[in-house]
Amino acid sequence: MVKFLKPNKAVIILQGRYAGRKAVIVKHFDDGTRDRPYGHCLVAGIKKYPSKVIKKDSAKKTAKKSRVKCFIKLVNYQHLMPTRYTLDVDLKDVVATDSLATKDKKITACKETKAKFEERFKTGKNRWFFTKLRDSSRLMLLNQVEWPCSRSGTRVFLVLDPDWLTVD
Amino acid sequence: MVTAKKTKKTHESINNRLALVMKSGKYTLGYKTVLKSLRSYKGKLILLSNNCPPLRKSEIEYYAMLAKVGVHHYNGNNVDLGTACGKYLRVSCLSIVDAGDSDIIKTVPGDN
């Protein structure tokens, strides 16, 4: 067995308000804590994806379109879908469990992760992470891979890895 | 790619090995516990019946690929797999946590 629920792993949130959003594991608690006696992890994810930037856009417009809105959350492993992707962003010092204690700590942590995510998005790397899950061209190829998210009612089309899933 | 047709002999040997695991080892039955065992890195071999729903099958295979755990597609449906486990219920997916006296973990993924 190889541990795959490790920091920097990209995951997809399956339940709750952020169902269908991509996130990165910052800290994992495999055996849980006293408050949460189950395997869970601290994730930093994207609340609002950056829009598509085209060459025609002015500098002001690209700046506006490249904005990312983040969230920080403690999520049960059961409500995550791990992927084979990773995101090498150092969020250990920015996000900690005590960031969720008070609202202003949470806001400052979110602002700093937002800065890091935006910086990474502008370099053009980790493109998968910054794209919304509903990618229509891939949907047509893999529309059988559908993931119903029961509680939130959203239907997440899980486009994991088109090269891996072979359509027979 | 030539897919080797599973002979009756190898099928029986898997059943024998599975029976030994049921007697002497640790295992979990069912989709939820299979995923739990993969997430907690306890699962060592996953067996899926042939009528396991394709979405569920791909999900378990994806988790197993991440965890580098072998997946064996059992040659039989969930009724057969349940019978092979010695249970009076249907088993679509099962996870072997500890093989006990059996050598199923070493031999079975090679056959697949």
Side-chain angles (χ1 to χ4, degrees):
Chain A
M1 283 128 300
V2 171
K3 286 194 183 254
F4 54 90
L5 288 165
K6 286 198 286 198
N8 295 332
K9 181 61 114 177
V11 296
I12 300 175
I13 312 278
L14 292 176
Q15 305 281 18
R17 196 155 48 113
Y18 299 115
R21 302 279 199 274
K22 296 181 189 166
V24 62
I25 295 179
V26 178
K27 194 150 184 247
H28 63 288
F29 306 94
D30 281 337
D31 301 311
T33 55
R34 269 196 54 228
D35 299 325
R36 287 171 175 255
Y38 46 80
H40 63 284
C41 53
L42 184 61
V43 297
I46 300 181
K47 199 195 264 188
K48 196 165 176 195
Y49 289 93
S51 319
K52 209 173 175 73
V53 175
I54 50 179
K55 236 194 287 192
K56 238 172 53 166
D57 290 334
S58 61
K60 198 168 86 168
K61 216 163 188 186
T62 46
K64 197 150 195 210
K65 279 189 179 178
S66 312
R67 288 191 304 195
V68 176
K69 200 153 165 68
C70 301
F71 68 89
I72 299 171
K73 196 167 167 55
L74 280 168
V75 193
N76 190 345
Y77 281 164
Q78 280 199 341
H79 304 146
L80 294 175
M81 180 69 203
T83 65
R84 66 178 176 88
Y85 299 96
T86 54
L87 187 78
D88 283 317
V89 178
D90 194 17
L91 290 169
K92 278 196 297 295
D93 35 339
V94 169
V95 178
T97 18
D98 58 333
S99 308
L100 293 168
T102 63
K103 189 136 181 145
D104 30 294
K105 270 194 199 169
K106 198 171 178 185
I107 291 173
T108 47
C110 278
K111 282 211 173 111
E112 290 179 26
T113 54
K114 172 190 157 78
K116 295 214 167 172
F117 279 171
E118 278 180 6
E119 181 190 329
R120 183 53 68 91
F121 173 67
K122 285 186 181 125
T123 63
K125 292 196 196 127
N126 306 116
R127 207 164 283 214
W128 179 85
F129 188 76
F130 293 104
T131 49
K132 240 189 243 190
L133 198 52
R134 283 185 151 212
D135 191 342
S136 54
S137 56
R138 288 179 188 173
L139 244 184
M140 274 175 261
L141 181 67
L142 292 166
N143 59 0
Q144 68 232 50
V145 186
E146 184 191 275
W147 216 282
C149 287
S150 45
R151 216 189 315 152
S152 64
T154 58
R155 306 183 98 198
V156 175
F157 287 84
L158 201 61
V159 182
L160 289 166
D161 185 355
D163 320 296
W164 180 76
L165 279 169
T166 51
V167 181
D168 299 330
Chain B
M1 199 155 67
V2 178
T3 50
K5 198 156 182 202
K6 199 177 266 319
T7 60
K8 194 155 179 261
K9 206 162 75 162
T10 47
H11 191 225
E12 281 174 1
S13 76
I14 287 166
N15 285 351
N16 293 340
R17 292 203 177 93
L18 201 55
L20 192 51
V21 173
M22 295 294 134
K23 211 167 23 164
S24 62
K26 291 203 184 65
Y27 57 92
T28 58
L29 306 174
Y31 170 65
K32 271 176 87 170
T33 58
V34 163
L35 287 187
K36 262 195 178 167
S37 73
L38 282 168
R39 277 189 214 110
S40 60
Y41 319 112
K42 292 209 173 72
K44 304 224 173 28
L45 177 66
I46 313 289
L47 276 92
L48 299 171
S49 66
N50 66 6
N51 65 345
C52 185
L55 180 58
R56 187 181 293 188
K57 192 193 295 184
S58 346
E59 189 192 2
I60 294 177
E61 283 176 350
Y62 196 79
Y63 268 87
M65 177 267 285
L66 290 174
K68 296 211 197 337
V69 168
V71 171
H72 178 74
H73 296 95
Y74 185 75
N75 186 24
N77 61 7
N78 48 7
V79 179
D80 301 332
L81 189 49
T83 312
C85 296
K87 307 273 179 197
Y88 291 111
L89 45 87
R90 296 174 289 280
V91 172
S92 206
C93 34
L94 78 97
S95 163
I96 294 172
V97 174
D98 175 18
D101 298 324
S102 177
D103 59 348
I104 195 171
I105 292 174
K106 294 185 211 76
T107 54
V108 162
D111 291 345
N112 196 25

